[in-house]
Amino acid sequence: MSQKWGTLILCVSFGLFAAGCPRGHGEYSEGQRAENLQDYDAALSYYQKAVKAEPHNATYRIRLNQARFEAGEMHVKRGLEMRKRGELDGAAIEFQKALAADPSSSIAEQELNRTAELLAEREHRKETPPPTDHNQQPLASLPPEIKPLSRAPISMKMSNDAKIVFDTIGKYAGLTMIYDPDFQARRITVDFNNVTLEQALEIVSLESKAVIKPVTENTLFVYPDQPQKRRDYEEEIVKTFYLSNVTQPQELTEIQTGLRQLFDLKRIQQVNSQNALIIRDTPDKLMLVQKMIDDIDKAKPEVVVQVEVLQTTTDRLRDLGILPPQQSSVSVNNGNTTTSGTTGSTSTTTNNTLTFETFRHLNPNSFSVTLPSLTANLLLSDTNTQIIQNPEIRSVDGQIAHLRIGQRIPVATGSFQAGVGVGATGGAGFVNPLVNTQFTYLDVGVNVDITPRVHPDHDVSLRLLVEITSHTSDVAIGGITQPVISQRKIEHEIRLKDGEVNILGGLIERTDSKTISGWPGFAKLPILGHLFSDNKVQHVDDEVLIVLTPRIVRMPDWTKLNLRPMLSGTETVVQTKRESELRAPQPEQTQPPPQPPQPQTPQPQSPQQQPPASAASGAGTPAAQGASNVAKMRFEPQSLTLKAGQTATVGVVVENVNDLFSIPLLLQYNPAVISVEEVQHGGFLSGGTQEIAIVSQPFKDKGQYIISATRQPNTPGVNGSGTLLGLVVKALAPGSSTLSIVQVNAKDSQQKSIPLVTSQATLQVQP
């Protein structure tokens, strides 16, 4: 019987437990687990199921919205990386996933539309050429550039009229020279020694005080270098510059003013609604404007300041002793006389007056003594109060952030106004001041105002105003009860490092009071004094501590290109130049003539030194020599044995490469046996002195890893052999897996493909 009762109680307990647990708690826990693993898609799915099970659970809905944001942001980042690598189709899929996860994401919709435009443009380039109707031709974006028939280095020496020198250079390059009617004849002397076409034209222009303007790709117009002529002939373009990180019209106005002063811009329009600047000027000026906007249009730094306010209040009270009577009174009673009426309806009580005759008849009943009561106190009170506030403030560089934690208490304010009143007897009026009462609300609690300034060395300057107030008591002023506000205020500037903890200020207030109430003399007795006195001892400690910790969450994205200066011409003529226009032309590399084969004297070899027939037949052939110089890519080591849970590094080695600049590749492996955990820098592509950009994206569920390694722009490629990358491989489960390169697209500094022969590695995983 007892066993049946136990089973019944157990079943009822499980039923109550199941009924008490939320229905979506399991999905919510799985969502938290997936979110900790940064698998936001799975977390979003679990949270959706939890909300579907309990639609009114606020916690579930909050986590669902956070997961939507995180999943959308993750797919947007992946899409931007894929679009940067040129994978437009994959980028569009990622942006679609981001929009599906978070339909309110405007950035996902914006990037999806932009990617769709790039895809349409790519498809448009594959289509047939547009019709030859000039009315349907797209508008030109830049003035024409010269395309000479020959760019061979020019070396000549002559002294003649400037027009003849121009015509001679034009014949060298296959260009036609035309002149302004006002271009005057001027004899000049030139001596060119291995210069480019652009350098020769610039030298002649300087000597003849002329300006060259391309009219077509093979026709140049020469006119005098005069301000009016420049205004007449210089081509201008119009361009719209959109600024991404401007939040206020004043910032856009500041940028416009700076550009106008730097480059003497006459046609510039500010569009506040679009955060844009429309400028019409020469191409050289607009290139410099673009450089300046790229340098200054950066996201402002942001700082999260952790504020900790620690307040501890301790109040100890001890009240011990016997409080004896403090006063007594003695009174003489003369008695009262009560007289009643004849009808009994009224009675009169008369107080007998105390006279000297009364003292002759005093007796013990004539006196009354009043004695106070005796009070015994035995009290011990210990109060300990701790207030800990830990708010976080996120602020943009240079902008003030306000934090208010507490209450708003009304405080009466007023002013006196003259008024006319009427007397009590209804007589003539008199002047009576009237009070106009108003109320102002004070923020009582923790009030923090912070203005951060982020420095390039990751230091943070903080302009602080920390005020801690509390409502202590009330006082009546003018018939109105007013609050009494206690205040602790700190205002100063400090400079801290990122993550540095600083104690801003502490205030320690201690109050000790001791009160003795009793009979004089008896209260001071050593031991018996407690019978004739009441001793009250009170200790009050109040400590306030303020701790600040700044953390930089965003720094300006300053690149080497932003810090690089740009040639901007002279004070009167603003212009840009390419680096190739400043360098002397490189002589063409000529192949040395083939050398006749030298007869070799055969050396006698022992039977052990005789090579195999196959090797002897092919060792000296050109095919064998060419095979040894083929660019290759292999793994080092090519075979490896690991135990489950063990990690090792496998190197990716390239051999016999010339001018290697970038190399994107796709790895393939068995995801059930091994996993590629990390991609390390090998050192070969950097040449040992330069930083390289490595972008990688794992697809562990598919057993794939996309890796792209690229040198810095405007740098030559590397030659030879060496370790390109290091792959950190982790053994997951017993088995065998091949690590192979299924796709590679190596390119040189001219963006030409480099053919590579790849191999694979074999990894064995033991239990």
Side-chain angles (χ1 to χ4, degrees), residues 87-106:
E87 303 173 9
L88 299 180
D89 297 325
I93 294 175
E94 290 294 333
F95 292 137
Q96 289 175 351
K97 291 181 179 179
L99 199 57
D102 188 6
S104 63
S105 176
S106 58

Side-chain angles (χ1 to χ4, degrees), residues 297-593:
D297 187 21
K298 301 292 184 180
K300 291 185 178 180
E302 293 188 30
V303 181
V304 171
V305 181
Q306 295 178 345
V307 183
E308 295 184 11
V309 180
L310 310 177
Q311 184 173 358
T312 303
T313 303
T314 304
D315 187 355
R316 294 184 178 89
L317 173 63
R318 189 188 65 182
D319 191 352
L320 180 63
I322 298 176
L323 184 61
Q326 303 295 318
Q327 61 183 359
S328 61
S329 62
V330 179
S331 61
V332 180
N333 297 328
N334 194 25
N336 297 326
T337 302
T338 301
T339 304
S340 299
T342 57
T343 60
S345 58
T346 60
S347 62
T348 303
T349 302
T350 304
N351 229 350
N352 296 328
T353 305
L354 186 65
T355 63
F356 284 101
E357 184 66 22
T358 308
F359 288 98
R360 296 177 55 188
H361 305 286
L362 290 179
N363 55 44
N365 294 327
S366 301
F367 298 91
S368 63
V369 179
T370 302
L371 295 177
S373 61
L374 188 70
T375 304
N377 294 322
L378 187 62
L379 175 64
L380 179 62
S381 175
D382 192 349
T383 304
N384 192 355
T385 304
Q386 292 184 352
I387 300 176
I388 300 177
Q389 295 175 337
N390 187 16
E392 290 186 355
I393 306 175
R394 181 164 180 166
S395 177
V396 180
D397 182 72
Q399 296 185 6
I400 187 171
H402 305 278
L403 175 65
R404 301 291 184 265
I405 301 176
Q407 299 175 337
R408 304 197 71 192
I409 298 179
V411 177
T413 60
S415 59
F416 289 94
Q417 297 179 356
V420 179
V422 180
T425 60
F430 60 92
V431 178
N432 182 25
L434 302 179
V435 180
N436 182 17
T437 304
Q438 299 174 351
F439 289 90
T440 301
Y441 287 86
L442 300 180
D443 294 317
V444 176
V446 178
N447 304 324
V448 181
D449 295 337
I450 296 180
T451 305
R453 179 69 67 181
V454 180
H455 302 280
D457 58 353
H458 289 250
D459 281 5
V460 181
S461 294
L462 299 176
R463 180 177 296 173
L464 296 165
L465 173 59
V466 181
E467 185 178 9
I468 303 174
T469 57
S470 61
H471 181 198
T472 57
S473 61
D474 296 305
V475 62
I477 301 177
I480 300 177
T481 302
Q482 298 278 27
V484 177
I485 308 298
S486 66
Q487 182 185 54
R488 300 175 181 88
K489 185 176 181 181
I490 299 175
E491 182 177 4
H492 65 168
E493 295 185 8
I494 57 175
R495 179 164 177 165
L496 304 173
K497 294 187 176 296
D498 182 20
E500 181 181 356
V501 179
N502 179 70
I503 299 177
L504 182 62
L507 177 62
I508 300 176
E509 181 180 355
R510 177 170 297 173
T511 304
D512 296 332
S513 61
K514 185 176 181 181
T515 305
I516 300 177
S517 299
W519 289 351
F522 293 95
K524 297 298 181 76
L525 295 176
I527 297 176
L528 299 178
H530 293 287
L531 300 176
F532 302 98
S533 64
D534 179 36
N535 296 319
K536 182 184 295 185
V537 179
Q538 186 175 12
H539 302 282
V540 179
D541 292 337
D542 191 358
E543 300 182 7
V544 178
L545 188 66
I546 303 173
V547 181
L548 293 180
T549 306
R551 300 190 184 277
I552 300 175
V553 295
R554 178 181 292 154
M555 282 290 294
D557 186 17
W558 294 319
T559 63
K560 293 183 178 180
L561 293 178
N562 299 139
L563 303 177
R564 180 186 178 189
M566 179 179 288
L567 187 65
S568 59
T570 63
E571 183 178 358
T572 57
V573 180
V574 177
Q575 62 179 354
T576 60
K577 292 184 180 180
R578 295 181 176 87
E579 292 184 352
S580 59
E581 299 176 4
L582 305 178
R583 294 194 296 262
Q586 298 294 328
E588 297 183 359
Q589 299 291 337
T590 57
Q591 298 292 337

